[in-house]
Amino acid sequence: SQKYAPVEKALAEYKASFWNMKQNSMRWSLLRYHNLYHSTVSVNEASHMVDGEAVVKEVIDDSRGKGMVMDMTPVLGENVKDAERTVMMLSDNGLKVIDRIAAPDGKKVRYTWRMVTPAKPTVLADCILLEAEGHTMKLEAKSDVSLTYMTWNTDPKVSYDDPNPGMTVVGVEAVVPA
């Protein structure tokens, strides 16, 4: 977390408000508030549409598991023709997340899924191993298109963002063809 008061003061020097929730607010330049760092789909590294609403299309409660299907199209805006996310807790206590992205007609897009973790990541060709406190978790993705497992640092991109010692961003990227 990051304390609000120092950020509020820093943004005031730019004649901006931390509490401005509009699309182009400086608030979204902070790692802790940008969608690129919150275990959600991002397309072309764009900010989510703040006025977009992810609507639940289906509730899942059957032999597959428990979860829901959401329409992410309004949140991703013009970067997609259609987008849907399914999140499901499986009967074996696993978690399954399915992102289905359709690129706009005639354009390819870059899909990214990222999360911030204190675990030590090891990037392999087919997964990322996350090690913490004597436990190992396997982050694995499957796709109809080629994907790349990656890590990113959490260094602040702007002067008013706090450092994030001991944290790493892990995730996958893929190019979705037109």
Side-chain angles (χ1 to χ4, degrees):
S1 65
Q2 182 169 351
K3 294 185 187 225
Y4 293 146
V7 176
E8 288 177 293
K9 182 178 177 184
L11 289 180
E13 291 176 16
Y14 291 95
K15 304 215 182 319
S17 169
F18 174 74
W19 302 106
N20 174 354
M21 305 293 179
K22 293 184 179 169
Q23 189 66 41
N24 294 319
S25 171
M26 290 177 74
R27 171 190 187 93
W28 311 126
S29 63
L30 297 165
L31 179 137
R32 288 159 186 80
Y33 298 99
H34 197 276
N35 50 274
L36 282 175
Y37 308 99
H38 284 279
S39 190
T40 187
V41 58
S42 297
V43 178
N44 296 335
E45 292 197 357
S47 297
H48 282 177
M49 304 305 298
V50 297
D51 291 334
E53 184 177 345
V55 177
V56 175
K57 292 172 61 173
E58 176 188 356
V59 173
I60 301 166
D61 188 3
D62 56 31
S63 61
R64 296 175 293 166
K66 296 181 183 304
M68 70 178 101
V69 180
M70 295 170 288
D71 180 5
M72 294 291 290
T73 309
V75 175
L76 298 173
E78 64 187 27
N79 283 304
V80 298
K81 181 176 182 178
D82 187 46
E84 186 177 271
R85 171 166 266 205
T86 303
V87 178
M88 206 167 24
M89 289 295 301
L90 305 175
S91 57
D92 67 358
N93 291 326
L95 175 67
K96 186 174 194 176
V97 178
I98 302 167
D99 289 324
R100 188 185 57 75
I101 305 291
D105 293 335
K107 296 181 181 177
K108 63 182 177 183
V109 297
R110 186 164 46 107
Y111 161 89
T112 308
W113 176 87
R114 300 177 188 184
M115 73 171 200
V116 179
T117 180
K120 178 184 175 269
T122 302
V123 177
L124 304 173
D126 62 344
C127 70
I128 297 177
L129 296 179
L130 299 168
E131 298 177 57
E133 300 177 11
H135 299 282
T136 301
M137 182 176 93
K138 184 177 183 181
L139 173 63
E140 181 179 34
K142 296 178 180 168
S143 176
D144 295 339
V145 297
S146 177
L147 55 84
T148 305
Y149 292 94
M150 301 179 70
T151 63
W152 297 263
N153 67 49
T154 57
D155 295 342
K157 308 274 188 283
V158 292
S159 62
Y160 46 88
D161 200 356
D162 275 356
N164 305 285
M167 303 301 274
T168 305
V169 180
V170 298
V172 295
E173 283 192 347
V175 174
V176 178

